[in-house]
Amino acid sequence: MKSIIIYASKSGNTKKIADQMAAQLGCEAIKITDSPTQTDLEAYDLVFAGTGLYAGTPNEDMVKYLNSLSMKSPKQFALFITWGGAPRSDKMALGKLRAILEGKGQKVLEEHFAAFGGWKGILMKRGHPKPEEITAAGEWAKNLVAKLEKS
Ligand SMILES: Cc1cc2nc3c(=O)[nH]c(=O)nc-3n(C[C@H](O)[C@H](O)[C@H](O)COP(=O)(O)O)c2cc1C
């Protein structure tokens, strides 16, 4: 199963998670930006897509990128987020990503990974993601791939 990680990250919180997953899986982690030339996902079976949350929405670069995708074959997507724990914003943002991808005929897996991510100057969740959350992200990705490869 060929996997890739794509992520958008403003402060680096989601990048820490993405890099750990990539290290565990031995695959690339690509940062999605507002640049018009972006990674082609055609060669992959499983795409891990991650983002921080902003006012209950995913990073706008990720939204723009996913909206711009046109893929010939359906892939499996596994979503991950870092967030401040604001009630319901996780469900809102994950729902938005899912709707975009399913609207394009892509399969989004039921399970996702979430870790807290603090923001400089704001007390909420300062110091997150903690080392154990980062480690857990890598384990989650590895176990998910193993499970999919068995099924
Ligand atoms: C302007 C702003 C808006 C945010 N909105 C939310 C939100 O709606 N829900 C939440 O749980 N966290 C929110 N956060 C916290 C971020 O999602 C969190 O710090 C995340 O880890 C940032 O990830 P990144 O640095 O990889 O982009 C917000 C942070 C900022 C600065």
Side-chain angles (χ1 to χ4, degrees):
M1 169 164 279
K2 205 165 172 215
S3 306
I4 188 168
I5 321 271
I6 58 170
Y7 70 94
S9 182
K10 293 193 190 199
S11 78
N13 290 338
T14 310
K15 177 179 172 25
K16 288 180 190 160
I17 298 288
D19 286 345
Q20 178 71 10
M21 289 181 178
Q24 283 292 316
L25 297 180
C27 73
E28 269 188 292
I30 309 274
K31 183 172 182 179
I32 299 300
T33 65
D34 63 356
S35 150
T37 44
Q38 301 276 357
T39 305
D40 180 3
L41 301 178
E42 214 59 67
Y44 302 94
D45 310 300
L46 176 62
V47 182
F48 289 86
T51 177
L53 265 54
Y54 294 89
T57 62
N59 185 308
E60 67 272 16
D61 291 340
M62 180 60 78
V63 170
K64 219 160 81 181
Y65 171 69
L66 294 180
N67 272 321
S68 77
L69 282 179
S70 65
M71 282 176 288
K72 292 188 199 80
S73 56
K75 315 284 170 204
Q76 301 195 88
F77 282 79
L79 304 178
F80 63 99
I81 57 168
T82 65
W83 66 313
R88 290 183 304 281
S89 57
D90 56 341
K91 288 195 176 55
M92 282 168 63
L94 288 163
K96 183 162 186 180
L97 294 174
R98 175 179 289 277
I100 295 170
L101 289 163
E102 289 182 347
K104 290 176 172 283
Q106 298 298 316
K107 179 170 183 199
V108 182
L109 298 170
E110 280 307 318
E111 55 259 80
H112 69 270
F113 184 86
F116 291 130
W119 194 272
K120 47 194 175 295
I122 302 175
L123 281 175
M124 197 168 68
K125 309 300 178 200
R126 187 180 276 176
H128 290 267
K130 294 196 182 280
E132 55 269 28
E133 292 171 295
I134 296 170
T135 303
E139 290 297 315
W140 175 77
K142 216 169 65 177
N143 290 338
L144 182 60
V145 169
K147 193 173 92 179
L148 293 173
E149 282 178 343
K150 251 199 267 165
S151 64

